[in-house]
Amino acid sequence: MKREHTNHDNFSSSGSCSSSSKPPMWPCDADDELFAVLGYSVKPSDMADVAQKIEHLEQVMCSVENDGLSQLASDTTHYNPSDLSSWLESMISGLNPTPDFDSGVNRMVVDSDFGSDLTAIPGKAVYPNPRAKPPSPAKKLKLSPQETESSESIVMVDSQENGIKLVHSLMACAEAVQKENFKLAEALVKNIGFLAVSQAGAMRKVATYFAEALARRIYGLYPANPDSGFTDLLQMHFYETCPYLKFAHFSANQAILESFAGRDLVHVVDFSMKQGMQWPPLLQALALRPGGPPRFRLTAVGPPSTDNTDQLKEIGRKLGQLANSINVEFEYRGLVTNSLADLTAALVGRREGETVAVNSIFDLHPLLARPGAIDTVLRVVTEVKPEIFTVVEQEANHNGSVFSDRFTEALHYYSTLFDSLESCGGGSDEDRVMSEIYLGRQICNVVACEGADRVERHETLGQWRRRLGAAGFEAVHIGSNAHKQASVLLELFGGGDGYRVEEKHGCLMLGWHTRPLFATSAWRLAS
Amino acid sequence: MLFLQRVVPLHTWILISTFKLSYNLLRRPDGTFNRDLNEYLDRNVTANAVPVDGMYSFDTVDRLTGLANRIYLPARDNEPQLGIVEVEKPLSTSEVVPVIVFFHGGSFVHSSASSAIYDTFCRRLVKTCKAAVVSVNYRRSPEHRYPCAYDDGLTALKWVNSRAWLRSGKENDLKVHIYLAGDSSGGNIAHHVALRAADEGVEVLGNILLHPLFGGEERTESEKRLDGKYFVRIQERDWYWRAYLPEGEDRDHPACNVFGPRSLSLEGLSFPKSLVVVAGLDLLQDWQIGYVEGLKKYGHDVKLLYLEKATIGFYFLPNNEHFESLMDEIKSFIQS
């Protein structure tokens, strides 16, 4: 369509979020621009059909009594008036009386389209790419697990005007940074500050963190490298506040337990020791298994302590005490190293007759910050010849090379995560605040840092699958038992029915509503 | 219908028919109105403080009505405008930047400044006329009858007139250069606000009326000829007047029949020059042309732009020559 005025660049396809399930793939399938600008979603190929429906309706309406018309109108349920074709359709069927018409039902007008009044924030710059979907209705989602890729991004935002303005200002700022238009970016980031404080709850926090991160990037005030001890502490609070880490531990342990079935000598190599919270439940499960527990060895890998204590040793000691109390033979060794890439198979050690499980919770993605590190580590793991290699990672691509894409991904991801934090009831207030700081630091890292400093290089399950496949691993199916038990765990945890456990290609994903957030996968050496 | 579709471009036909359909559902024979459904069906858009296409918009709340009027300002070069309006700085200190106070249509009942059709139209005005636009949300009937819309219009006019940041001109001669504009009921409002402005000494440089809503008890020839032919029926027009005019009044009330039996004299008033646009397929054209004659009779400057094949709402879509003629006319009207 020839462009008479560029004003219809101002608006992207509007209001089609609840009627169509995915954005148009091809240009000729896109909504008509002239209508889109006016708030209506009509495909060029549908126009004749729409005209016909209008004619039909006019004829039908003529035959209806004048008095009856407005009554009938309010008795129809109006879905998404932007989608003219289906709106007209619903009117046509509404005006043809149906058998249950008299039951007095449906006097309400259902606003199932939260998006329609919020569409059309003008400007290409504000929509980062034509594929971006408008925000979809909050909290009205499918109940069954789905097989879709997590590339469908959903922004859980407050439906007030300022909320939408805020999201778009954030994205516009990211784009300005991408284009190195720092003057514009600077002005936008100041404005974001104003808009952020007009929000409440999750949106306010997310926006504030992202704004800060952007500001740091713009002004070159990069954050100092995080103190690992403090990060561990933050992660503990995160563990208390919401079920994600518990789920991670639980599902990894399930896989490890299954792989240890019938084995008498087991060795867990934990890349992610931290406070060792994953292991008591595993030890207990091993203690209770039919046939009695195996002899259990734990090699814990961790960074050097920043204070004078020997954290790893201390935690090992405590675990030893627990193991003793439940009669599990326990041996422990701590491996202190600055980076997993400094490990060798020899250092890790493998004894004759041992069944080895290697465990990594959020420790693979930081390796992507240095070239070659991930390959080194994966190779070392293969050399250790584990029975199982459990991997838990954030289910998001925050490692794209294009800054603005990365930014948008992260915005969606952390918005969802903060949203779920707000809704889930676990932990004390302090836990919650610390959890937010924990996530806020990740946001800062994703947005403000580059190179070796940018360690929060999350990648999706699909991406990890490729990497692990290339390194010689194949996926182990995490049993449906684990899935069921994870669901039960979540029930117990509370937070309403926002959490979703999904199984995908044998891996388990935990998410908030339809957005998967964390993925647990299990691997073994390919035969 | 098929014939109509040949005269009117398909997009326009679909758009106006959709409005017509929706509006039919909303008006009740007893004079009441399904306001909730109206608001739900209205496609609206938010203001955007991020500049797009050389302009940005933001809403300000009118203290009298509590309604948000929408301001559109041209974005200045080299300065990202982000909802932070400088209350001291004028629009320009080197040239005149007109300010168009726009009253949206909707027969006094429908639409608002945030309706997509009007937001789009105002943006086109900003672009074409290189003007600032203030789109006024006046209180609508049947909840608020005459004279609310005119009161609100005058309030908005005075507010605009007193904004330092809407002034322009040469450094030592800064003032707000105001034009009133409106389509359908908005055109009617523009006329009456201009009248009151004249009384109160607020200078309005010009009136732009797009098929303004006027009427009277008499059934004119165009009303009879075009009744029901191009989206509009006389019956509906009557309903809207009944909803707007004070209860018990008829259409010869001076709000509606400006130059009728109960009209006020415009003699000697400092009334602005007017551009009146009439759509050749609008059944109200006889009233509109009568309005033009009335203004001339009192010696006021008025230009009639008659678009023979245009229907109501032709200006919502830029896909026709009527739209282009309109924009050219408005532009030269403001620039002259």
Side-chain angles (χ1 to χ4, degrees):
Chain A
M1 187 132 275
K2 179 168 174 284
R3 294 183 170 197
E4 304 285 330
H5 279 260
T6 51
N7 265 350
H8 55 247
D9 280 346
N10 290 351
F11 303 90
S12 72
S13 313
S14 58
S16 53
C17 43
S18 49
S19 61
S20 55
S21 52
K22 40 181 184 216
M25 297 288 283
W26 310 106
C28 61
D29 214 18
D31 281 353
D32 175 86
E33 287 170 324
L34 291 182
F35 278 125
V37 162
L38 303 179
Y40 292 101
S41 163
V42 183
K43 306 236 182 308
S45 47
D46 281 352
M47 273 178 55
D49 178 56
V50 165
Q52 263 193 318
K53 282 180 175 149
I54 291 174
E55 271 186 27
H56 180 98
L57 260 174
E58 284 178 351
Q59 282 161 16
V60 171
M61 277 158 95
C62 278
S63 62
V64 172
E65 295 281 339
N66 237 348
D67 289 351
L69 199 60
S70 47
Q71 181 67 35
L72 284 169
S74 34
D75 282 343
T76 313
T77 309
H78 295 268
Y79 292 110
N80 192 7
S82 277
D83 182 349
L84 274 185
S85 191
S86 51
W87 178 65
L88 290 166
E89 192 64 61
S90 71
M91 300 254 286
I92 289 171
S93 44
L95 287 172
N96 292 325
T98 51
D100 58 352
F101 193 73
D102 295 317
S103 58
V105 97
N106 264 347
R107 279 231 75 223
M108 47 161 199
V109 170
V110 176
D111 187 356
S112 60
D113 175 25
F114 298 126
S116 67
D117 286 344
L118 309 172
T119 53
I121 302 288
K124 274 196 208 133
V126 174
Y127 275 101
N129 62 58
R131 290 179 293 109
K133 274 174 63 159
S136 62
K139 317 225 189 317
K140 265 187 157 274
L141 301 150
K142 300 176 196 129
L143 295 168
S144 53
Q146 19 171 29
E147 289 293 303
T148 51
E149 281 296 324
S150 59
S151 57
E152 301 280 271
S153 16
I154 297 175
V155 181
M156 309 294 276
V157 292
D158 185 316
S159 65
Q160 290 171 42
E161 282 184 26
N162 272 350
I164 296 295
K165 234 185 281 210
L166 180 55
V167 170
H168 287 133
S169 293
L170 282 164
M171 302 209 282
C173 187
E175 182 151 322
V177 167
Q178 168 76 30
K179 295 193 165 117
E180 299 190 0
N181 182 354
F182 290 109
K183 191 138 193 260
L184 175 61
E186 189 181 346
L188 279 167
V189 94
K190 285 181 188 151
N191 193 45
I192 288 166
F194 289 129
L195 288 172
V197 298
S198 75
Q199 292 304 292
M203 194 58 222
R204 181 194 190 118
K205 294 168 192 167
V206 170
T208 308
Y209 281 120
F210 274 92
E212 190 205 321
L214 278 167
R216 283 183 175 279
R217 195 180 179 99
I218 293 164
Y219 295 115
L221 298 169
Y222 304 110
N225 276 329
D227 173 85
S228 65
F230 188 54
T231 310
D232 288 358
L233 180 69
L234 293 177
Q235 196 181 78
M236 278 213 53
H237 288 285
F238 184 67
Y239 181 87
E240 291 301 329
T241 309
C242 46
Y244 303 109
L245 261 183
K246 291 190 168 83
F247 163 81
H249 291 170
F250 174 83
S251 45
N253 285 351
Q254 276 299 115
I256 294 173
L257 198 60
E258 280 170 26
S259 73
F260 283 177
R263 309 299 174 88
D264 294 320
L265 191 58
V266 303
H267 177 193
V268 172
V269 181
D270 187 10
F271 287 167
S272 316
M273 189 60 180
K274 305 258 183 331
Q275 299 295 313
M277 288 174 303
Q278 184 171 352
W279 308 119
L282 181 68
L283 285 170
Q284 277 154 352
L286 286 170
L288 292 171
R289 73 173 188 179
R295 283 152 61 200
F296 185 91
R297 183 155 89 92
L298 177 62
T299 299
V301 184
S305 281
T306 45
D307 53 23
N308 283 327
T309 65
D310 188 341
Q311 281 286 332
L312 276 182
K313 192 166 167 181
E314 191 51 34
I315 297 161
R317 197 179 59 76
K318 288 196 184 121
L319 282 173
Q321 279 174 344
L322 169 67
N324 246 335
S325 68
I326 53 176
N327 295 320
V328 176
E329 226 179 289
F330 182 81
E331 194 187 320
Y332 177 85
R333 188 168 56 113
L335 276 182
V336 175
T337 173
N338 270 311
S339 166
L340 287 177
D342 295 339
L343 287 176
T344 62
L347 264 176
V348 170
R350 184 207 171 77
R351 293 180 193 157
E352 191 71 43
E354 256 184 358
T355 303
V356 182
V358 180
N359 181 69
S360 163
I361 314 258
F362 306 148
D363 277 299
L364 291 188
H365 66 256
L367 296 169
L368 301 173
R370 289 189 331 174
I374 185 69
D375 300 312
T376 304
V377 172
L378 290 179
R379 187 176 38 78
V380 169
V381 176
T382 60
E383 286 167 10
V384 169
K385 293 194 180 29
E387 187 70 22
I388 195 152
F389 177 26
T390 49
V391 175
V392 179
E393 283 288 333
Q394 289 88 345
E395 181 60 11
N397 182 5
H398 295 153
N399 197 21
S401 50
V402 179
F403 174 74
S404 52
D405 289 345
R406 204 161 77 224
F407 183 90
T408 308
E409 280 292 310
L411 184 60
H412 292 184
Y413 181 83
Y414 286 100
S415 294
T416 307
L417 202 37
F418 268 83
D419 209 51
S420 78
L421 267 190
E422 201 158 74
S423 309
C424 66
S428 64
D429 287 338
E430 191 200 352
D431 283 329
R432 195 164 323 191
V433 169
M434 299 299 245
S435 303
E436 288 165 10
I437 296 176
Y438 171 72
L439 295 174
R441 280 163 153 240
Q442 289 179 8
I443 291 169
C444 200
N445 190 272
V446 174
V447 173
C449 299
E450 281 301 344
D453 287 334
R454 178 158 62 87
V455 294
E456 298 296 348
R457 293 181 181 251
H458 311 144
E459 288 191 348
T460 62
L461 185 58
Q463 290 168 289
W464 286 115
R465 189 187 304 284
R466 278 189 289 279
R467 285 189 195 278
L468 288 159
F473 291 96
E474 66 182 16
V476 173
H477 237 81
I478 298 183
S480 59
N481 204 28
H483 185 167
K484 287 192 202 106
Q485 291 191 41
S487 303
V488 170
L489 176 80
L490 288 172
E491 294 270 316
L492 294 173
F493 201 89
D497 48 9
Y499 298 109
R500 290 278 181 280
V501 181
E502 277 173 36
E503 190 248 327
K504 186 175 173 180
H505 305 308
C507 307
L508 280 188
M509 308 231 260
L510 177 60
W512 180 250
H513 291 289
T514 60
R515 172 69 209 245
L517 294 169
F518 298 94
T520 304
S521 54
W523 307 85
R524 64 171 167 233
L525 291 169
S527 34
Chain B
M1 292 304 169
L2 223 59
F3 165 73
L4 180 52
Q5 282 175 32
R6 272 186 239 129
V7 172
V8 176
L10 187 58
H11 278 84
T12 310
W13 189 86
I14 289 177
L15 184 73
I16 311 295
S17 299
T18 301
F19 290 156
K20 178 179 120 186
L21 259 174
S22 320
Y23 296 171
N24 283 347
L25 302 174
L26 303 165
R27 294 184 306 266
R28 298 199 197 96
D30 64 351
T32 60
F33 180 67
N34 193 339
R35 177 57 67 189
D36 290 345
L37 184 54
N38 180 74
E39 296 314 295
Y40 175 64
L41 293 176
D42 188 33
R43 304 291 83 204
N44 42 50
V45 300
T46 56
N48 187 11
V50 178
V52 168
D53 208 19
M55 70 194 85
Y56 65 104
S57 63
F58 57 93
D59 292 346
T60 70
V61 178
D62 178 316
R63 270 184 234 168
L64 174 72
T65 64
L67 296 168
N69 298 332
R70 186 163 292 178
I71 322 264
Y72 302 81
L73 294 182
R76 286 184 241 249
D77 293 330
N78 304 318
E79 221 181 62
Q81 303 290 344
L82 301 149
I84 301 165
V85 179
E86 295 231 35
V87 293
E88 300 300 326
K89 220 163 151 182
L91 286 171
S92 169
T93 50
S94 53
E95 55 174 3
V96 168
V97 178
V99 179
I100 304 175
V101 177
F102 181 79
F103 302 102
H104 68 82
S107 308
F108 296 101
V109 168
H110 303 286
S111 300
S112 73
S114 50
S115 297
I117 42 173
Y118 288 113
D119 183 89
T120 308
F121 185 72
C122 286
R123 283 176 175 272
R124 289 176 176 147
L125 277 179
V126 172
K127 191 121 192 252
T128 310
C129 304
K130 302 198 191 337
V133 173
V134 178
S135 187
V136 178
N137 268 324
Y138 49 90
R139 282 167 294 171
R140 297 167 297 181
S141 51
E143 297 89 354
H144 304 281
R145 293 170 177 270
Y146 164 93
C148 291
Y150 305 154
D151 290 343
D152 297 350
L154 186 63
T155 305
L157 172 62
K158 286 181 182 169
W159 183 85
V160 166
N161 197 39
S162 59
R163 295 307 103 186
W165 47 273
L166 286 175
R167 293 195 196 132
S168 60
K170 293 276 181 275
E171 188 80 55
N172 53 354
D173 191 22
L174 290 173
K175 68 169 187 180
V176 188
H177 293 80
I178 300 177
Y179 291 83
L180 298 179
D183 67 315
S184 163
S185 53
N188 177 293
I189 295 170
H191 166 79
H192 288 283
V193 169
L195 267 184
R196 290 169 185 217
D199 273 344
E200 298 197 22
V202 179
E203 187 190 20
V204 174
L205 296 171
N207 267 12
I208 301 164
L209 311 198
L210 288 179
H211 56 63
L213 217 58
F214 295 125
E217 280 299 303
E218 182 199 345
R219 298 300 190 200
T220 60
E221 188 270 332
S222 64
E223 282 170 300
K224 289 186 254 189
R225 174 169 51 93
L226 294 168
D227 185 16
K229 295 263 164 49
Y230 292 95
F231 314 109
V232 187
R233 288 185 305 167
I234 299 177
Q235 205 180 4
E236 296 147 23
R237 295 290 108 218
D238 290 352
W239 189 97
Y240 289 110
W241 285 118
R242 270 199 308 277
Y244 177 67
L245 297 169
E247 309 220 41
E249 280 290 351
D250 66 22
R251 290 185 304 278
D252 280 336
H253 184 284
C256 173
N257 195 349
V258 169
F259 293 114
R262 294 157 62 183
S263 67
L264 310 155
S265 165
L266 266 60
E267 187 90 47
L269 266 184
S270 120
F271 196 81
K273 64 172 182 176
S274 301
L275 169 64
V276 181
V277 181
V278 176
L281 299 175
D282 182 3
L283 53 68
L284 294 180
Q285 59 191 276
D286 285 352
W287 291 110
Q288 293 154 356
I289 293 171
Y291 172 76
V292 170
E293 312 284 78
L295 283 181
K296 279 185 185 156
K297 199 177 82 179
Y298 286 109
H300 295 297
D301 184 1
V302 55
K303 172 157 189 201
L304 168 65
L305 174 66
Y306 186 85
L307 298 167
E308 200 181 312
K309 288 278 193 313
T311 59
I312 53 152
F314 69 88
Y315 47 87
F316 291 138
L317 290 159
N319 60 345
N320 55 80
E321 68 203 5
H322 308 306
F323 177 87
E324 293 183 35
S325 307
L326 174 70
M327 285 310 186
D328 287 345
E329 278 300 328
I330 293 179
K331 190 168 168 184
S332 53
F333 180 74
I334 287 181
Q335 279 167 0
S336 60

